Amino acid sequence: MTEYKSLGYELSDNVATITINRPEAANSLSLDMCKELMDASIRVDDDPEVRAVVFRGSGRFFCTGADLRGFPPAGPEMATFVKEMTTYLHAAVSRFTRMDAPLITAINGTCAGAGMSLALFSDLAVAGESARFTMAYSRIGLTPDGSSTYFLPRLVGLRRSLELCLTNRMLSAAEALDWGMINRVVADDELQSSAHELAAQLAAGPTESIGAAKRLYHQSWNEGLESQMEWETRAICDASRRPEAKEGVSAFFEKRDPVFR
């Protein structure tokens, strides 16, 4: 199995845990980390044993964005470097988003810049009480990346997205919950256990059907009503053919909990 330098990876009871592991650099993103994230996204997508994923940060921070100390000077060299970095990062986000297994982010401490993007793209998000959210890009004369211009307006609306981007407003965990950016806030010392309890619940579900439902929701933004309903018909008919549906329907009539394996 691949060994990572800037990520932790563990698989237990069908739940993969991916940990951003650069606490000495506030879990900031390096080029190597982006490459490892892409590899990890392929790994969880291809492994049939993975039925849910928890994505978290080590130490005091979730992720504070790109590690600018590793960047070349602003200008053509930086542009080339950023293009390579975002190629790997965006491939990872795309793969994580499109895979069947649901992904839960466990957000601890500060997430800023691309770190905030990584807090937004998951299917479900749990934050500790001390979590803080800020875009931070315009503070250094740059624009958002990592998928935040896709997910943020879908979560909070255009006006609030622009406010966060243009003013670099810092949101508390409670404000992020109120705005719809995250699903729940828990005590800091309960964050990891809460995220893994949620992941375990989802890992026991019908993974292929969950993946199909995720894709329906994502594509709905680009479809009209009738075409989206056609995609719904096709998806539910495909689901009807799978063993998951046979088990789910049988369990319903037998008045027992289904076992999706």
Side-chain angles (χ1 to χ4, degrees):
M1 299 291 274
T2 303
E3 294 296 328
Y4 300 123
K5 294 181 179 179
S6 55
L7 298 177
Y9 185 92
E10 180 182 356
L11 177 60
S12 178
D13 297 325
N14 300 117
V15 175
T17 302
I18 300 171
T19 305
I20 304 172
N21 193 29
R22 295 187 75 215
E24 74 286 353
N27 284 341
S28 55
L29 289 163
S30 64
L31 177 60
D32 286 341
M33 185 193 289
C34 291
K35 292 178 180 179
E36 291 182 353
L37 282 170
M38 186 188 73
D39 184 89
S41 72
I42 295 171
R43 186 172 178 176
V44 294
D45 191 28
D46 281 353
D47 187 349
E49 293 300 310
V50 175
R51 300 174 64 86
V53 179
V54 173
F55 188 53
R56 66 182 188 178
S58 62
R60 296 173 50 221
F61 303 100
F62 178 73
C63 176
T64 55
D67 187 353
L68 296 177
R69 297 171 303 174
F71 279 40
E77 288 184 48
M78 180 185 281
T80 299
F81 181 85
V82 169
K83 186 172 290 186
E84 181 179 7
M85 194 169 179
T86 55
T87 295
Y88 291 111
L89 177 62
H90 291 174
V93 171
S94 178
R95 185 69 60 190
F96 282 129
T97 302
R98 306 301 182 191
M99 69 182 179
D100 285 343
L103 187 148
I104 300 102
T105 43
I107 305 161
N108 57 303
T110 300
C111 52
M116 182 163 162
S117 299
L118 292 178
L120 296 175
F121 79 91
S122 62
D123 301 304
L124 299 174
V126 182
E129 291 174 327
S130 66
R132 295 293 181 269
F133 303 78
T134 183
M135 290 293 282
Y137 289 95
S138 64
R139 188 177 296 132
I140 55 174
L142 295 177
T143 55
D145 64 351
S147 77
S148 59
T149 61
Y150 179 89
F151 286 105
L152 189 58
R154 286 163 169 78
L155 293 170
V156 306
L158 179 60
R159 294 284 190 190
R160 283 178 164 175
S161 297
L162 285 170
E163 178 184 356
L164 291 174
C165 181
L166 302 182
T167 70
N168 298 306
R169 174 176 172 175
M170 178 80 74
L171 288 187
S172 67
E175 289 173 315
L177 178 64
D178 182 59
W179 282 27
M181 286 171 52
I182 59 178
N183 295 95
R184 63 184 70 167
V185 177
V186 299
D188 288 337
D189 60 1
E190 297 175 1
L191 175 61
Q192 303 306 329
S193 60
S194 295
H196 278 84
E197 285 173 9
L198 182 56
Q201 175 187 342
L202 295 174
T207 305
E208 289 183 271
S209 295
I210 287 173
K214 286 169 50 174
R215 288 184 284 275
L216 278 172
Y217 279 105
H218 284 304
Q219 74 183 41
S220 69
W221 293 92
N222 301 314
E223 299 286 352
L225 172 61
E226 285 72 24
S227 58
Q228 182 64 14
M229 289 192 296
E230 175 60 22
W231 286 117
E232 289 178 346
T233 295
R234 291 179 177 276
I236 197 170
C237 288
D238 288 343
S240 299
R241 300 183 182 100
R242 289 195 289 266
E244 290 177 345
K246 181 178 180 180
E247 168 60 14
V249 172
S250 295
F252 175 81
F253 285 111
E254 294 168 10
K255 294 181 171 53
R256 59 175 177 81
D257 292 330
V259 179
F260 297 112
R261 293 295 181 191

